[in-house]
Amino acid sequence: MKENKPQTTETLNPAEMARLQLEKAAKVMNLDPGLLEILRHPKRVVEVSIPVRMDNGEIKVFTGFRCQYNDFRGPFKGGIRFHPQVTKEEVIALAAWMTWKCALVDIPFGGAKGGVICDPTKMSQGELERLTRRFTYTLMPLLGPDIDIPAPDVFTGEKTMAWIMDTYSIFQGYNAPGVVTGKSLMIGGSPGRREATGRGVSIVARKTLELFGESLEGKSVAIQGFGNVGSFAAKFLSEFGARVVAISDVTGGVYQEEGLPIPELMAYAKESGGVAGFPGVRPIRNEDLLTLPVDLLVPAALEGQIHEGNAHDVRARYIVEGANGPVTPRADEILREKGVHIVPDILANAGGVIVSYFEWVQDKTGMAWEVEEVNRRLQTKLERATVEVKETAERYQTDWRTASYILAIERIQEVYEERGLFP
Ligand code: NAD
């Protein structure tokens, strides 16, 4: 199999990707230039300094960001990422994607994103807790269940959300679980939230095939990434009857023509830290997985994995984007010319934010839903959005990514026109 060719001329800057995607949709739908101008800019981006006492007694000052991109349709909503490569531009792009995603699946939220430049793998739990609490305190006037609701992202999780919720609640003087989503169950989390993104990927994949007159039954699937999104996508796709033949993660990849045993692989990866070395199957390199002749390819790891250098070699018929931004704009064009159908990230991975919305509703009402209700409502929302994207693509004679943007922007436009521009 071929080498994964290096990136050539194409940039991977997510801010530029987000801008190109917005402008393309605006052109196809003939969007009012005034609204386009508004949507090209975030409403608010804050940069904060976060002094933290490290375990050795030293004070270290970290830099953090929160971008509140747009709140026409409801409170800002978006994750917080702790990573050494966080930049203001990346946070802005991710906040824009959240805005379109929430509008596309028709939940009453705007879009936001946050990040702190740090390396959590080299920090103690105590240092991470002090960093999170001080970051929360610094952002306090901008947060709230009706203002801006963070959630986990890369290297943040349930524990991080608990610290944010606790810090915010202490300063308010009452418990405010609705200030974050992605919490653990005992402090107001929702059943089904942990699996929601992977479940959503599988629901959207199944519905997409159905809309093209096909069935998921027996279809071959390759999945890049076996973390939260990839592992649950593998589990539900195989439960829906697909054959998950290949999976890779940072440790390596595994292949089995008749389908991998997903529950056993999940248990093995949890125990050993990755899929590499799983007994009784063939190893496969990550770059070779992307070019397997499968029915469905699910990139569920990082941004920019399918690019100008390897898009020509992709042999999958469908790409269902579990990760955010896994296909670059140039690769997108190449794949479309090859006839590969791409289900875009803002549709395919929206299951997580939909169940975050259900969590927020439960927190606000004080009601706890059964997991069956969460899953049923998730399926209804995602299947409806998938049908609407197909109809929009037909209406505008365009691809599904552009159609998803158009649908999202149309929803934002309706609200904007109804509310008007202040002053
Ligand atoms: P995660 O950290 O749980 O898992 C990431 C996986 O990718 C891991 O298995 C890791 O080993 C693998 N990986 C990393 N680099 C790789 C490489 N070079 N080749 C192959 N595998 C590699 O993260 P996650 O929560 O599953 O998120 C994955 C993607 O999905 C991200 O783009 C994230 O923004 C997006 N996303 C996540 C959610 C969610 O609810 N978790 C929601 C929407 C979008």
Side-chain angles (χ1 to χ4, degrees):
M1 288 184 206
K2 289 191 180 164
E3 284 291 325
N4 190 7
K5 290 179 204 132
Q7 199 70 30
T8 50
T9 52
E10 202 182 8
T11 171
L12 281 183
N13 177 349
E16 213 162 297
M17 264 174 79
R19 186 181 51 78
L20 283 174
Q21 290 163 343
L22 170 65
E23 286 173 357
K24 181 176 174 195
K27 195 169 168 196
V28 175
M29 71 190 288
N30 200 15
L31 181 66
D32 168 58
L35 181 57
L36 173 60
E37 195 53 17
I38 293 176
L39 296 181
R40 282 161 59 107
H41 296 90
K43 177 170 178 178
R44 187 181 289 132
V45 189
V46 292
E47 178 174 332
V48 295
S49 299
I50 314 158
V52 176
R53 191 176 301 281
M54 306 305 277
D55 289 348
N56 64 6
E58 266 176 40
I59 304 273
K60 206 169 159 189
V61 178
F62 294 88
T63 301
F65 306 99
R66 184 74 180 166
C67 171
Q68 298 181 328
Y69 199 89
N70 186 288
D71 65 347
F72 283 171
R73 290 176 42 89
F76 297 105
K77 183 87 191 83
I80 289 180
R81 179 174 286 201
F82 286 175
H83 198 275
Q85 261 112 47
V86 163
T87 63
K88 196 196 279 186
E89 289 67 33
E90 180 193 54
V91 170
I92 295 171
L94 288 162
W97 283 330
M98 281 305 294
T99 307
W100 322 138
K101 192 182 297 185
C102 293
L104 173 64
V105 294
D106 207 8
I107 55 178
F109 287 141
K113 205 80 183 189
V116 178
I117 306 170
C118 64
D119 187 350
T121 61
K122 299 201 170 81
M123 293 169 71
S124 71
Q125 279 294 100
E127 289 168 344
L128 285 170
E129 177 172 354
R130 293 192 289 280
L131 171 73
T132 306
R133 288 187 184 275
R134 183 68 190 224
F135 186 43
T136 308
Y137 166 78
T138 312
L139 290 179
M140 190 82 66
L142 299 177
L143 300 180
D146 293 311
I147 305 172
D148 184 354
I149 308 138
D153 194 77
V154 178
F155 285 141
T156 55
E158 288 179 0
K159 195 73 204 161
T160 329
M161 296 305 112
W163 291 327
I164 296 176
M165 179 257 190
D166 184 68
T167 307
Y168 181 84
S169 297
I170 286 169
F171 279 88
Q172 301 307 307
Y174 56 88
N175 272 344
V179 70
V180 285
T181 59
K183 305 177 289 293
S184 51
L185 274 180
M186 73 283 248
I187 58 165
S190 176
R193 173 63 184 90
R194 197 173 292 154
E195 309 89 307
T197 308
R199 183 185 284 278
V201 167
S202 316
I203 291 170
V204 172
R206 182 176 62 183
K207 190 69 189 173
T208 300
L209 287 188
E210 188 193 307
L211 291 172
F212 285 99
E214 297 192 53
S215 155
L216 196 54
E217 193 66 41
K219 293 288 185 299
S220 55
V221 182
I223 301 178
Q224 184 200 41
F226 202 55
N228 176 280
V229 180
S231 66
F232 284 113
K235 175 176 161 26
F236 294 115
L237 282 167
S238 67
E239 282 178 14
F240 291 172
R243 211 161 29 92
V244 181
V245 298
I247 290 177
S248 68
D249 66 11
V250 273
T251 65
V254 287
Y255 180 89
Q256 182 156 270
E257 181 60 28
E258 61 271 29
L260 292 159
I262 305 303
E264 289 81 355
L265 190 58
M266 283 172 92
Y268 175 86
K270 197 170 172 195
E271 188 70 33
S272 69
V275 297
F278 184 69
V281 298
R282 247 177 59 195
I284 184 171
R285 293 185 318 167
N286 183 44
E287 52 267 40
D288 294 334
L289 176 141
L290 296 174
T291 58
L292 282 173
V294 285
D295 294 302
L296 274 81
L297 173 62
V298 181
L302 304 170
E303 290 145 23
Q305 288 297 293
I306 303 171
H307 47 75
E308 192 179 22
N310 62 4
H312 287 289
D313 301 327
V314 168
R315 286 182 288 167
R317 296 194 298 126
Y318 294 86
I319 294 179
V320 185
E321 295 183 339
N324 284 315
V327 176
T328 64
R330 182 70 194 112
D332 207 63
E333 283 169 27
I334 295 167
L335 292 165
R336 209 155 353 95
E337 280 159 22
K338 280 166 62 100
V340 180
H341 182 83
I342 301 177
V343 184
D345 45 11
I346 61 169
L347 173 64
N349 70 31
V353 76
I354 292 174
V355 177
S356 274
Y357 164 55
F358 298 158
E359 179 176 333
W360 178 79
V361 170
Q362 292 172 74
D363 291 338
K364 290 202 111 189
T365 57
M367 295 270 292
W369 300 358
E370 298 296 329
V371 69
E372 292 77 15
E373 178 166 11
V374 171
N375 292 341
R376 181 180 52 77
R377 286 176 181 265
L378 171 67
Q379 181 171 339
T380 304
K381 274 216 163 286
L382 279 175
E383 291 190 344
R384 185 183 301 145
T386 310
V387 171
E388 287 171 340
V389 167
K390 178 171 189 278
E391 288 169 356
T392 308
E394 285 166 359
R395 185 153 46 101
Y396 285 94
Q397 290 294 299
T398 190
D399 59 277
W400 276 34
R401 189 186 310 283
T402 308
S404 299
Y405 272 64
I406 290 174
L407 196 52
I409 295 166
E410 279 176 352
R411 296 220 163 102
I412 295 168
Q413 185 172 23
E414 281 169 11
V415 173
Y416 166 72
E417 284 171 358
E418 188 65 15
R419 291 177 57 165
L421 179 64
F422 170 83

